[in-house]
Amino acid sequence: MRREALNTATAALGEHRWDVDLEAGTVTFSAVADPARRLVASAELVATLAPASGSILWGWAHPQGKAEGPVAKLRTHGEEAGIGLLSQAEVPFPPTATLQPDTWIDDTAFVIGLAATELTGAAPAFVAPVEGGTRAVFLLDAGLPPLTVAGAFGALPHILSTTPLRDGRTSAWGLARLAGWQFEWADAAYSGARVSDASGHATFHFDESARIIGFQPGA
């Protein structure tokens, strides 16, 4: 899966920062200890969520977005399915957004990223704060090779320590599905799962709350 491949690549940078260039359409990840070590990903603008205007502006209608291309599939889907939220160029925030605006914007940006990856087939989605408290949602392409089990589990300790997962069990299943790995549940209680590909195999362990509590490469 391209998301985990990007996570693996940025994990190799150690502590890192990122910079968004809307005009160039790129996001650059740089190692804090050595800024010369960097990864540049092309960034397709999906949408911006701006508290100043109180609205979502879709990338296909944004001055720094692309009228056609992968993100335009959201507009097409909205038109075909009668979903005005996707087919309108600019969508006002609902009244409830004013109760906790930052939380609402962050949560909505996350959902938009999920919708974009599902409807376009591109990944990963990336959310970045830009000027004035606006959040921008992108689809990234870093030109990375396919993610292997061996490569993923080498970077997994860092990823799990820095990336909160809403549902570790579903995340593990989704990773295997999108990366093209073989996946097998350990038991009817879903307390574990074994993943494998040509590079090797490994086992996840989950608790009753679906959190990842351990993993064993080669197990």
Side-chain angles (χ1 to χ4, degrees):
M1 182 180 178
R2 288 182 289 267
R3 178 188 301 275
E4 278 66 29
L6 180 64
N7 284 343
T8 301
T10 54
L13 296 173
E15 185 181 359
H16 60 274
R17 56 169 293 176
W18 45 262
D19 296 288
V20 174
D21 188 331
L22 276 174
E23 188 171 336
T26 60
V27 175
T28 300
F29 300 89
S30 307
V32 172
D34 181 6
R37 295 178 57 226
R38 59 178 55 189
L39 174 68
V40 180
S42 62
E44 179 97 5
L45 181 62
V46 176
T48 56
L49 299 88
S53 63
S55 64
I56 300 168
L57 180 61
W58 292 107
W60 50 264
H62 196 284
Q64 292 171 302
K66 296 180 180 178
E68 301 299 332
V71 172
K73 291 182 180 180
L74 278 74
R75 179 188 63 207
T76 300
H77 180 74
E79 293 169 346
E80 293 175 347
I83 304 174
L85 290 175
L86 295 178
S87 59
Q88 298 174 31
E90 189 167 9
V91 182
F93 291 172
T96 54
T98 60
L99 299 177
Q100 292 182 302
D102 289 342
T103 299
W104 186 89
I105 289 174
D106 286 341
D107 289 347
T108 303
F110 177 80
V111 172
I112 288 174
L114 290 179
T117 59
E118 287 296 323
L119 290 175
T120 67
F126 180 75
V127 179
V130 290
E131 68 281 350
T134 295
R135 306 294 193 281
V137 184
F138 300 95
L139 291 174
L140 301 187
D141 183 359
L144 298 171
L147 184 67
T148 65
V149 169
F153 275 77
L156 196 56
H158 176 78
I159 293 172
L160 290 178
S161 68
T162 58
T163 306
L165 299 177
R166 300 192 178 199
D167 184 333
R169 186 183 290 142
T170 300
S171 296
W173 173 81
L175 166 61
R177 178 176 66 89
L178 293 172
W181 302 343
Q182 293 188 8
F183 184 93
E184 182 180 1
W185 294 112
D187 51 45
Y190 307 108
S191 65
R194 187 178 189 271
V195 295
S196 62
D197 68 359
S199 72
H201 54 272
T203 300
F204 285 100
H205 300 285
F206 312 104
D207 65 11
E208 63 278 3
S209 299
R211 295 172 297 195
I212 298 174
I213 57 174
F215 56 90
Q216 296 173 273

